Structure formats: C-alpha cells, structure tokens
Amino acid sequence: MATRETELPGVGTKHTLDLATGDELVVVEHRSGNWELARSDEEGNTSSILTLQGKEAGELGRILAHGEVPEEDPRKQLLLDEFSLEWVKLDGDSALVGKTLISSDVRARTGVSVIALLREGGSLLNPPPETSFEADDTAVIIGRRDQVDRFLETFSPPRDTP
C-alpha cells in the first residue's frame, strides 16, 4: 500500500493512497481548511467526491484513528474567518494588464495584497512593486471579503450573461 503527497500550487496538498483493489483514494487538503475525498479507478475515472469542512475532516480523522481530534489553533481560525484568499485569472481585458503593482495602486484602491503571481515561465511569490501584470497571469490576492469584491469589481472585466 503506497501513499504519495503532491503539492498543488495555489490549492493545497493532494494525498493519494493506493488501495488493494487497484483504485486510489485521493484526499485534497485545501489551504482554506476544507478537504475533498474521491475514489479514482484504474482508468482514472473519479467518483464518490465528498467535501468536508475542517472540523468535519477532523472528526472523521478521529473516528478512523480512534483517537482525539487535536484542538484547533484559534489564530488559524481567525485568519480563515476574517480573510479571503482568491486566485484571479487576468485575461487580456483586465485593467491591470501592462501595469505594474505600484502604478496600478491595487492596495490603496481595493485594500487587498497581491501575494503571488502565477504565470507560465515562472511564478512570483511576493512580487516586487515594479512587477508588471501580464495577460493570463493568475493573481493570488488576500483581503477581507469586501476588499476582494472591490478588487474584482475594479480590475476584472464584466462577464457577458446569456
């Protein structure tokens, strides 16, 4: 019985357990504190997807281990309750494309912090102020929910609705 752990950039950690049946149990631990469980057969077909919140996953772990659920760190819960972490794909119509972090004044205009830019050819963690936004970048931002909403309203083009 083999297990593998894979980092999913911008998402969390994927844990894969090879089962005796030849199937795999896939557990994704999201940075948000949620967990996803799925079963994947030998052909790669996924089924039985279940999403658990942090406390539910902890209780399931306790049941499976016949142990006790560790007490949650209140600082971590405060962070999860108060702040929102979002991945925003910038298409060519975004008002940010071609501008730098400093010239776009993202933080002053919206209150969010751009903590990473995910892009082909090399992602940037804590991008410096002179970094230019490019089409197809994914901006990883953090802020209160109202600040994230303001960022989306300010810098994401409106979507056509049918």
Side-chain angles (χ1 to χ4, degrees):
M1 177 170 35
T3 60
R4 294 176 302 288
E5 188 172 289
T6 309
E7 185 67 26
L8 301 175
V11 176
T13 305
K14 174 181 162 184
H15 306 271
T16 306
L17 171 65
D18 293 332
L19 304 174
T21 62
D23 294 349
E24 295 177 327
L25 175 63
V26 178
V27 179
V28 177
E29 178 183 4
H30 289 265
R31 292 194 190 333
S32 67
N34 289 338
W35 295 72
E36 287 183 67
L37 286 76
R39 181 178 177 179
S40 182
D41 66 20
E42 293 176 327
E43 288 83 39
N45 300 312
T46 302
S47 62
S48 303
I49 296 176
L50 173 68
T51 301
L52 300 171
Q53 294 180 354
K55 289 183 180 183
E56 295 166 331
E59 184 65 15
L60 177 60
R62 186 194 64 75
I63 292 167
L64 293 174
H66 298 286
E68 295 204 15
V69 178
E71 194 170 313
E72 288 189 26
D73 184 342
R75 296 170 299 176
K76 179 180 177 185
Q77 193 58 47
L78 177 66
L79 181 66
L80 292 173
D81 290 344
E82 193 168 326
F83 296 104
S84 182
L85 186 66
E86 293 282 335
W87 291 256
V88 181
K89 182 79 167 180
L90 303 177
D91 61 22
D93 294 332
S94 171
L96 287 175
V97 172
K99 295 184 178 175
T100 64
L101 271 167
I102 198 160
S103 70
S104 62
D105 215 7
V106 169
R107 189 177 219 169
R109 291 175 69 185
T110 66
V112 303
S113 295
V114 177
I115 61 171
L117 284 175
L118 309 178
R119 62 172 53 150
E120 289 289 324
S123 297
L124 303 165
L125 181 63
N126 293 324
E130 63 277 0
T131 302
S132 292
F133 292 98
E134 299 174 4
D136 297 323
D137 277 353
T138 297
V140 182
I141 61 173
I142 189 168
R144 291 187 324 268
R145 182 76 246 166
D146 64 304
Q147 294 170 325
V148 169
D149 289 343
R150 193 172 318 121
F151 176 92
L152 295 172
E153 291 167 7
T154 305
F155 296 116
S156 293
R159 300 288 177 217
D160 293 333
T161 53

